Amino acid sequence: MKAAPSAANVFVLYFIASVLLPYLTRDNIDPYTDNFSKFLLYEGVHEAFAYLMFVFVFTSFVYRLYLVSLPTNIYASHAFAKDNLVAIRFAVISIALSLLYSIISILIYGDVTSFLLSTYKRVQSGSSISNFKSILYWGAAVFALLAFYFSSNNKSRNYSFCALLLALILSLSNGGRSVFILFIFAILYKRILIATTRKFIIFSSVFFVFILIASYSMILLRYIIQDATILETNDSGSFALAATGLRYLDHFIVSTLYADWRGHDYGELYKNAFLSFIPRGIWEGKPQLISAELRYYLYGDYTGGVPPGLFGEAYISAGIFGLFVISNFYGILLAWFDNQARKARRTLCPFKISFLGFFIPLIGFTLVRGGIDIGVFRLGIPLFWFLVAYIWLRSQSRLRMNIVI
């Protein structure tokens, strides 16, 4: 038997870890673990948990209903074969984008050390150039992954490994754990896709330990650079520190409190998210993102962000009705991606494997955790680069597989 790595499975695991477990163990949580633990002791925690359980059940229902209606046939024009020349071209593009990203970063911050320290402090930058360079990083990551999966000889693999190494280093420089971990997942996705259930369970266990170690190391480095007082007050151990920032129930509670204080905005936050690409230098009156507004609500400044997540945004927009609408769309989205995964297992199309390796964790985890607010960049930019690559690949008729399943 073969396992079925899917966006729905990622969502279920994240929901259990970030909502169900924190709720069931809230009485044992140290309120000093981080700044949000205290919200789990808030009297509205039961109502917030009930809302999220409704979201989970309704999303699961829509997912199952929509998945069975999707076709699984694969047309020749929708799949591509491996090609070493293509792999080398993608690798060269990735390396060029990585170098350009690095040069711009060093120019902005003065030197490499200042750049790394600034990113790990996680202070929001008002520089349009600084925000724009993330487009270069995601392009480097996408083309490195495509080069890796399209390569089939030593020469093209060497190019792809160089591109992957540079992209991995840049993912570490971003100061966030999720980008690095999700990139590793994308590199390993093909092995996950074709693994038997036994191998899948073994891999999942090893990968879970790797996530804990990487998460702990990166969050510890961030707190050291920030001179965070949590290092002096936290006695919960390395596991609790590694899980810091991954809970979602507390962020959803903050979202409900914000909505009660400010009122529902009826979709205004989504408009602001999609307009966030416009540089503030061009539009001085550009509204703040909802994550920045929640930061201001809690701390009185705009130096960072507190993402309400996909369902927190829905509640802020339109309350329970917003949760109903977004759960419906999210269930359909999960079903579409998991249907694509079924097709990819049958053809092993390098483009489809690259795309799914990138987006399955982004859809199942990042979109829920960060919402549209963060998803516009974390999902929108990779999607743009994959679309560019797909359009070019479609123009190369020699790459299309001559099979129809």
Side-chain angles (χ1 to χ4, degrees):
M1 291 182 62
K2 291 186 176 182
S6 68
N9 288 344
V10 174
F11 169 62
V12 170
L13 289 174
Y14 180 61
F15 184 89
I16 292 172
S18 66
V19 176
L20 184 59
L21 288 180
Y23 177 76
L24 295 177
T25 61
R26 64 190 183 280
D27 293 333
N28 300 320
I29 290 178
D30 181 358
Y32 296 104
T33 301
D34 57 62
N35 293 330
F36 292 91
S37 298
K38 60 186 178 184
F39 291 106
L40 297 176
L41 304 177
Y42 168 66
E43 61 182 8
V45 65
H46 306 294
E47 182 180 3
F49 178 73
Y51 284 147
L52 289 177
M53 282 303 300
F54 162 76
V55 164
F56 180 79
V57 171
F58 187 70
T59 297
S60 301
F61 171 76
V62 173
Y63 167 79
R64 293 294 180 187
L65 190 67
Y66 191 67
L67 184 63
V68 297
S69 68
L70 291 173
T72 58
N73 57 305
I74 302 146
Y75 298 97
S77 60
H78 293 169
F80 303 104
K82 287 186 175 183
D83 187 279
N84 291 306
L85 180 59
V86 169
I88 292 173
R89 288 177 178 175
F90 283 155
V92 170
I93 293 173
S94 174
I95 292 170
L97 291 173
S98 293
L99 293 176
L100 185 57
Y101 174 93
S102 301
I103 292 170
I104 293 176
S105 299
I106 293 172
L107 289 175
I108 291 174
Y109 295 99
D111 55 63
V112 175
T113 303
S114 299
F115 162 57
L116 294 176
L117 289 175
S118 178
T119 54
Y120 271 84
K121 283 183 179 179
R122 305 301 293 272
V123 177
Q124 191 177 54
S125 171
S127 169
S128 297
I129 298 176
S130 178
N131 295 332
F132 172 77
K133 68 185 176 67
S134 64
I135 298 175
L136 302 177
Y137 164 73
W138 285 110
V142 166
F143 283 110
L145 194 65
L146 286 169
F148 175 69
Y149 280 117
F150 269 90
S151 63
S152 61
N153 66 18
N154 290 334
K155 182 179 179 180
S156 61
R157 287 195 185 101
N158 290 336
Y159 274 91
S160 68
F161 287 153
C162 289
L164 282 175
L165 180 61
L166 284 175
L168 279 170
I169 293 173
L170 292 185
S171 69
L172 285 171
S173 74
N174 282 331
R177 297 163 290 173
S178 61
V179 176
F180 174 74
I181 293 170
L182 298 184
F183 195 25
I184 294 293
F185 176 89
I187 294 172
L188 299 174
Y189 179 67
K190 182 178 178 180
R191 293 187 177 276
I192 302 172
L193 191 67
I194 62 177
T196 61
T197 300
R198 178 175 174 272
K199 289 182 178 180
F200 178 74
I201 293 173
I202 294 174
F203 169 82
S204 299
S205 302
V206 173
F207 193 66
F208 177 73
V209 174
F210 165 77
I211 289 174
L212 286 179
I213 295 173
S215 179
Y216 172 75
S217 301
M218 296 182 75
I219 196 67
L220 181 63
L221 177 59
R222 183 194 306 172
Y223 284 150
I224 290 173
I225 293 174
Q226 292 175 340
D227 293 324
T229 56
I230 186 174
L231 296 177
E232 300 174 3
T233 60
N234 178 40
D235 297 320
S236 302
S238 57
F239 181 85
L241 195 62
T244 299
L246 297 180
R247 282 196 309 267
Y248 184 58
L249 178 58
D250 48 7
H251 279 238
F252 183 77
I253 293 171
V254 172
S255 302
T256 61
L257 293 173
Y258 176 83
D260 292 341
W261 170 69
R262 189 71 179 268
H264 302 298
D265 71 2
Y266 303 105
E268 185 76 13
L269 63 88
Y270 296 119
K271 183 194 74 173
N272 295 341
F274 285 108
L275 293 176
S276 61
F277 282 103
I278 302 175
R280 196 167 294 278
I282 297 176
W283 183 13
E284 294 184 1
K286 184 175 73 171
Q288 294 285 349
L289 293 173
I290 189 61
S291 58
E293 293 292 353
L294 258 66
R295 166 81 189 190
Y296 183 81
Y297 167 68
L298 291 175
Y299 303 110
D301 62 62
Y302 290 107
T303 60
V306 177
L310 185 66
F311 306 117
E313 290 173 341
Y315 187 85
I316 293 171
S317 291
I320 298 177
F321 178 74
L323 293 176
F324 172 80
V325 173
I326 291 299
S327 297
N328 185 66
F329 281 112
Y330 186 60
I332 293 174
L333 187 66
L334 289 175
W336 186 86
F337 270 92
D338 287 357
N339 188 55
Q340 295 303 311
R342 292 190 299 189
K343 294 179 180 180
R345 173 180 285 169
R346 297 161 67 186
T347 64
L348 297 181
C349 167
F351 178 85
K352 197 176 290 290
I353 290 174
S354 302
F355 178 79
L356 293 171
F358 234 95
F359 275 92
I360 279 181
L362 285 175
I363 295 297
F365 164 68
T366 305
L367 183 59
V368 176
R369 183 70 176 85
I372 302 299
D373 183 296
I374 291 176
V376 164
F377 285 92
R378 288 282 177 92
L379 282 80
I381 297 175
L383 183 62
F384 164 76
W385 287 116
F386 272 112
L387 182 61
V388 169
Y390 180 76
I391 291 173
W392 182 80
L393 288 169
R394 288 274 289 174
S395 69
Q396 310 297 307
S397 58
R398 64 185 174 83
L399 297 175
R400 299 181 188 178
M401 291 184 177
N402 57 354
I403 58 171
V404 179
I405 301 177

